[in-house]
Amino acid sequence: MTGPVVAGVDGSERSLVAAEWGAREAHRRGVGLRLTHACPPLPRRVSPVPGWTAWQNVGEQMLRRTADEFRGRHPGLDVEGVHTDTEPEQALLAAAADAALLVVGARGWGGFDGLAVGSVALCVAATADCPVVTVPDTATRPSAMDQDADEVVAGVNAHDPADETIGFAFRAARERDALLRVVHAWALPPASPSAWMLTVLEEDRGLWEDQESQVVSDALRAWREKCPQVPVVPDVVLLGPAQALVRASERARLLVVGRRTSPRVAERRLGPVAHAVLHHAHCPVAVVPHPA
């Protein structure tokens, strides 16, 4: 998609770090940045109408100031500010309806110490029609977060690969001039002993790993031909998928995972792997929707 990059802002430092990530991504893609702020109405028993109007004005002023700051830091970037009086989840999903990418902080003003990912980030990652990048709560400067690491990591089930996820990862690696590490986690056959039991013959384990490696190679062949400039390292790991991806995220600029979509809105949800990496990854996580 060639739509804008949408970033949610609420005035918190976490949201501004995520919006800065979104601004750099918009610059790479050559598209605009749409900063979105939601200020839902307060119950009348909490604040009368004049108080609610003042509350809205504060939000609008914050958004204008933030947009001006981003224009100053990123000359030439088309920055738009959108202020709504709806709930944050609704505002972000509406703003992202025609977007190429939605970027949110893992947490905003809400939550509590120790909470890795807030309800808004989880909701939009599970329901948005476009890819969603969640930027983790970290004290790292925004510029360092995207430049110190040298890899884009993609979690891929090579037995059932999703072109949307793989394509997003290849594009991200190409735009960052980074290595693409494709992580495929596998397990021993159910009837086999534990991987750590001595009764597993090394020859059998090696044969199974070779077979998994061939499956990964087959799944990536077409994409390697489309994007020959992207260096690719297949990483076949005998671990649970979430554990393998969280480990790989320690050296990554971006971690890319997929999410199966459903035509029934009530059934849109994150799978266990995507949910786990959102809570524990050491880098921004892109959740890419794809048909089931």
Side-chain angles (χ1 to χ4, degrees):
M1 294 179 64
T2 57
V5 172
V6 172
V9 293
D10 62 3
S12 67
E13 184 63 26
R14 299 181 184 96
S15 74
L16 296 178
V17 168
E20 182 65 30
W21 192 99
R24 296 196 304 276
E25 183 66 17
H27 179 74
R28 288 190 192 97
R29 294 171 175 242
V31 300
L33 174 67
R34 182 183 299 164
L35 300 175
T36 300
H37 176 253
C39 192
L42 298 172
R44 288 182 180 270
R45 65 179 182 275
V46 175
S47 174
V49 172
W52 176 75
T53 301
W55 176 248
Q56 292 289 319
N57 289 337
V58 169
E60 292 174 356
Q61 292 172 11
M62 181 278 294
L63 181 62
R64 284 196 296 269
R65 183 173 63 253
T66 302
D68 288 341
E69 291 174 354
F70 272 78
R71 293 186 187 103
R73 286 201 300 273
H74 301 277
L77 180 63
D78 180 17
V79 181
E80 174 190 9
V82 176
H83 174 84
T84 74
D85 59 1
T86 60
E87 295 296 330
E89 298 92 335
Q90 298 173 9
L92 290 172
L93 293 173
D98 62 344
L101 187 69
L102 173 59
V103 182
V104 294
R107 284 174 54 196
W109 282 117
F112 49 86
D113 291 343
L115 178 67
V117 186
S119 60
V120 173
L122 287 173
C123 176
V124 297
T127 59
D129 293 326
C130 68
V132 176
V133 172
T134 299
V135 180
D137 181 12
T138 174
T140 306
R141 291 183 299 107
S143 58
M145 186 190 310
D146 199 43
Q147 296 174 6
D148 287 351
D150 60 358
E151 295 183 359
V152 170
V153 173
V156 174
N157 176 3
H159 294 281
D160 186 21
D163 283 345
E164 292 81 0
T165 305
I166 299 175
F168 186 99
F170 265 89
R171 176 175 179 172
R174 183 183 68 232
E175 291 172 343
R176 290 163 173 76
D177 193 24
L179 179 146
L180 174 59
R181 180 176 299 276
V182 178
V183 175
H184 169 75
W186 68 288
L188 294 171
S192 302
S194 166
W196 294 272
M197 290 179 63
L198 296 178
T199 52
V200 175
L201 296 178
E202 202 58 39
E203 294 83 357
D204 292 337
R205 177 173 168 172
L207 175 61
W208 292 328
E209 188 164 8
D210 289 344
Q211 291 172 344
E212 296 296 323
S213 297
Q214 184 60 53
V215 172
V216 174
S217 179
D218 293 342
L220 297 178
R221 183 174 297 110
W223 286 101
R224 281 178 150 171
E225 293 173 355
K226 290 179 183 178
C227 305
Q229 71 275 38
V230 176
V232 181
V233 173
D235 198 352
V236 179
V237 186
L238 183 58
L239 278 177
Q243 184 181 6
L245 292 173
V246 170
R247 285 189 180 182
S249 73
E250 294 178 359
R251 57 177 178 268
R253 294 189 190 185
L254 180 67
L255 171 59
V256 183
V257 296
R259 170 180 65 83
R260 289 186 175 89
T261 59
S262 170
R264 290 177 288 192
V265 176
E267 293 185 3
R268 294 187 181 185
R269 59 184 178 84
L270 292 172
V273 174
H275 193 275
V277 298
L278 279 176
H279 281 83
H280 299 288
H282 301 279
C283 68
V285 177
V287 179
V288 182
H290 62 83

